[in-house]
Amino acid sequence: MLSAIVFLPLLGAAVAGFFGRLIGARMAEIVTTGLLGAAAALSWIAFIQIGLNEGEPQTVQVADWITSGLFSVGWTLRFDALTVVMLVVVNTVSSLVHLYSIGYMAEDPHRPRFFAYLSLFTFAMLMLVTSDNFLQLFFGWEGVGLASYLLIGFWYQKPSANAAAIKAFVVNRVGDFGFALGIVGIFAVYGTISFDEVFAATPAMAGRTFEFAGAQFDVVTTLTFLLFIGAMGKSAQFLLHTWLPDAMEGPTPVSALIHAATMVTAGVFLVCRCSPMFEYAPDTLAFVTIIGATTAFFAATVGMFQNDIKRVIAYSTCSQLGYMFFAAGVSAYQAAMFHLFTHAFFKALLFLGAGSVIHAMHHEQDMRKMGGIWKAIPFTYAMMTIGTIALIGFGIPHVGGFAGFYSKDAILETAYAAGGVGTYGFVAGIVAALMTSFYSWRLAFMTFHGEAKWKHGHDDHHAHAAHDDHGHGDHGHEPHESPLTMTIPLAILAVGAIAAGFLFYPYFIGDDNHAFWRDSIFVAANHHALHARHEVPEWVIWAPLAVTVLGFLIAAYYFLLRPDRAAALAAREGLLYNFLKNKWYFDEIYDFLFVRPAMWIGRKLWKLGDGWLIDGFGPDGVAARVKDIAGRAGRLQTGFIYHYAFAMLIGVAALLSWLLFGGAPK
């Protein structure tokens, strides 16, 4: 059963990819969706057996993989509490995305290829979360990177989609370089890359140093820092975040799959899986906290000024990932995983809900061209509202709330209880919560309420139709509700967005969470922030609700009561407005610092190094000289016999002269 969870999506990818033209698009959809549904059902069974019922962790030996000298690694699937949580998240969201895509991609001519990519992506993620060693994890890690490249650039006819796919691939390779160095370093230090062996040896390795460039560096700190660089790239953390918004160029189901539960959460999973190492690297944990908190704040500031409905949600994802990381940075790995779990439901709900809005608006994604559509698509409106309330973490302390309330508030309380650098995480998280509430309700109000701007801009509307061209035909200008294949996944995800928090709170971060997580997560004895959160002042508990309500009121004022003021402020295009709207100018800065110099160096190496030097003095130069000599020699071939006879006579005369005048041996 456990192996089937991993390999059923691979089977679906193979069938749709290799035989899609033979069996047809409809059968490819049915096969891949059915196999993912089966994998999701089996994942929940494993979650109940191993997680909720406190069953023993299991390993499944698939095959011997690599043996070279002292290096030996097998292909083993690991199923513990951490793994089964990720299996539920990945397969549940992926199966619903598959079902949703049947309706969303209904008229796309390349559906078999699309569904093959989706299933391949899921398989790669499952390989990542079931890994039993660092190399197997890296295999899944890179597989996810490959599949994301294919999915983001699925509409390869669009230059913007190709550019976005390349950007995501390149930025992730920057992080993966650090990750690869970390794995090589682990083998060099520990002599193994097996999780169990590395984690068991880490306490003895704590405090050991090595010399580099005349300075001493802590071994465990260096290795965990390199691992976290990989996590930064995959999870789009501050400085390596630039690929995430551009990934919206792919079809909307891809956005939901990548941003809700799979690729971007891999970094959080990595840090939590390696908690036995990170716990002995306090400097790395502090760095993780700072990066996570900064990401939460940064992404929230940018999200407030985006006008593309998918990009707003994308920056929300980036911000929420920041919460997960600074929770892990204060050793609250359980809270990080809990927020990862709840976030998967409401973020997938928001992305797929946005897709339903785009479907209703006939490809339109600009919120400034929407408005007043809640009556036309009441179900989508209700689902998006549930997702919004879950995202902002609305709830009444000591009473209850939606899913995000339980996980996000726990992170903020834990960060405060941790003190030190955790205080920075708490302050950044509270400010980010205020902005999250503002931009979430801004999205809801601009999209569903106010003036129906779409009624006045048919020309612009059709000009924009190619922005997210998912292949739907023109069904008229009036917004319309999505088909059942799209609304059923929304309803299922809405249940998770409402109930996942209070249902699973006792298991994930309750007083008895050790019984659930057991050895899959390690927390040092002196790191007790998760428990200490119960002792924080009352104002800390109520602060998230206060800023959430404040964000709602500000958004309601500017986008419900006085939309003219919001338009006037935007029209001014002040310094701060442009700074945030242009994403802190990171793209421009990176283009200036890295892209242009790299392109200049590349051209010089191509034109001068490769063209003039290597080719000029190498094969091309030799070939040119041979051709030149042959051409000159060819001129001696006149075709007249007397010329050749004359040349032979001269040769004979020269030979005789040499023999007569001392050339011959005595």
Side-chain angles (χ1 to χ4, degrees), residues 419-571:
V421 72
T423 304
Y424 170 68
F426 171 77
V427 174
I430 284 292
V431 177
L434 169 64
M435 293 185 287
T436 299
S437 179
F438 170 79
Y439 67 66
S440 297
W441 289 113
R442 172 179 177 265
L443 183 153
F445 296 149
M446 289 182 67
T447 302
F448 296 103
H449 296 274
E451 181 186 0
K453 303 176 184 66
W454 50 273
K455 292 184 177 180
H456 313 297
H458 292 313
D459 294 338
D460 293 340
H461 164 80
H462 288 291
H464 191 75
H467 191 77
D468 188 11
D469 186 11
H470 46 73
H472 295 285
D474 189 2
H475 302 287
H477 300 306
E478 294 294 327
H480 56 90
E481 192 62 88
S482 301
L484 284 176
T485 52
M486 295 174 62
T487 55
I488 290 175
L490 297 181
I492 297 173
L493 290 169
V495 173
I498 295 172
F502 69 81
L503 284 179
F504 297 102
Y505 173 90
Y507 301 99
F508 281 73
I509 60 173
D511 293 334
D512 198 29
N513 69 83
H514 300 288
F516 178 81
W517 295 109
R518 282 161 288 170
D519 295 333
S520 64
I521 288 177
F522 171 76
V523 181
N526 60 328
H527 294 165
H528 46 75
L530 186 64
H531 179 72
R533 67 188 176 87
H534 297 296
E535 302 172 4
V536 299
E538 194 69 15
W539 70 266
V540 174
I541 298 174
W542 287 89
L545 176 62
V547 297
T548 297
V549 173
L550 179 60
F552 168 80
L553 294 175
I554 296 173
Y557 175 77
Y558 279 106
F559 298 99
L560 278 184
L561 302 178
R562 297 298 302 274
D564 56 314
R565 289 207 169 185
L569 288 173

Side-chain angles (χ1 to χ4, degrees), residues 67-325:
T67 300
S68 178
L70 297 175
F71 182 79
S72 180
V73 59
W75 191 353
T76 304
L77 305 180
R78 182 189 188 102
F79 296 90
D80 57 12
L82 195 61
T83 299
V84 294
V85 169
M86 293 300 298
L87 291 180
V88 164
V89 169
V90 172
N91 280 329
T92 300
V93 173
S94 183
S95 60
L96 294 174
V97 167
H98 275 72
L99 178 60
Y100 181 93
S101 299
I102 293 176
Y104 193 85
M105 304 292 290
E107 298 179 20
D108 193 284
H110 306 292
R111 296 197 303 281
R113 177 166 61 90
F114 179 76
F115 279 84
Y117 289 170
L118 285 182
S119 293
L120 179 64
F121 184 99
T122 306
F123 166 73
M125 191 66 194
L126 295 174
M127 285 300 305
L128 190 159
V129 302
T130 58
S131 57
D132 193 50
N133 57 74
F134 283 99
L135 187 61
Q136 192 177 325
L137 189 151
F138 192 73
F139 170 76
W141 196 272
E142 295 303 301
V144 168
L146 169 64
S148 67
Y149 171 81
L150 297 173
L151 285 169
I152 295 170
F154 177 74
W155 288 317
Y156 55 85
Q157 302 91 342
K158 297 168 57 180
S160 58
N162 285 322
I166 293 172
K167 187 176 183 179
F169 194 84
V170 171
V171 174
N172 272 274
R173 297 294 75 73
V174 174
D176 293 352
F177 179 69
F179 189 19
L181 286 178
I183 296 174
V184 172
I186 288 171
F187 180 73
V189 172
Y190 292 88
T192 179
I193 56 172
S194 170
F195 287 153
D196 290 336
E197 295 177 12
V198 170
F199 298 160
T202 296
M205 199 65 63
R208 289 181 56 179
T209 61
F210 69 97
E211 185 176 349
F212 180 76
Q216 295 293 322
F217 295 90
D218 185 86
V219 172
V220 180
T221 299
T222 303
L223 294 177
T224 51
F225 178 80
L226 291 172
L227 293 177
F228 180 64
I229 295 299
M232 286 178 62
K234 195 67 71 181
S235 295
Q237 291 300 281
F238 188 69
L239 301 179
L240 294 179
H241 66 277
T242 53
W243 68 270
L244 189 71
D246 290 14
M248 298 298 100
E249 289 293 337
T252 300
V254 172
S255 305
L257 190 61
I258 291 178
H259 293 77
T262 50
M263 180 174 175
V264 295
T265 61
V268 181
F269 169 80
L270 171 65
V271 174
C272 293
R273 172 63 80 197
C274 296
S275 58
M277 295 182 68
F278 280 83
E279 284 297 279
Y280 291 96
D283 292 340
T284 304
L285 284 178
F287 182 71
V288 172
T289 304
I290 292 171
I291 290 294
T294 304
T295 304
F297 173 81
F298 155 77
T301 62
V302 178
M304 292 193 298
F305 296 95
Q306 299 301 303
N307 295 311
D308 186 301
I309 187 172
K310 288 170 62 177
R311 286 182 178 262
V312 175
I313 304 173
Y315 277 106
S316 169
T317 298
C318 191
S319 183
Q320 298 305 307
L321 288 166
Y323 280 93
M324 301 175 203
F325 274 109

Side-chain angles (χ1 to χ4, degrees), residues 581-624:
K581 185 180 179 182
N582 289 284
K583 304 162 286 187
W584 293 26
Y585 294 103
F586 266 104
D587 284 330
E588 290 78 4
I589 293 171
Y590 284 179
D591 183 69
F592 177 77
L593 292 178
F594 302 112
V595 178
R596 292 183 184 179
M599 293 293 289
W600 183 85
I601 293 172
R603 289 193 186 95
K604 293 299 181 183
L605 291 175
W606 170 35
K607 295 291 187 181
L608 296 177
D610 188 52
W612 179 77
L613 180 62
I614 297 175
D615 289 343
F617 291 91
D620 290 351
V622 172

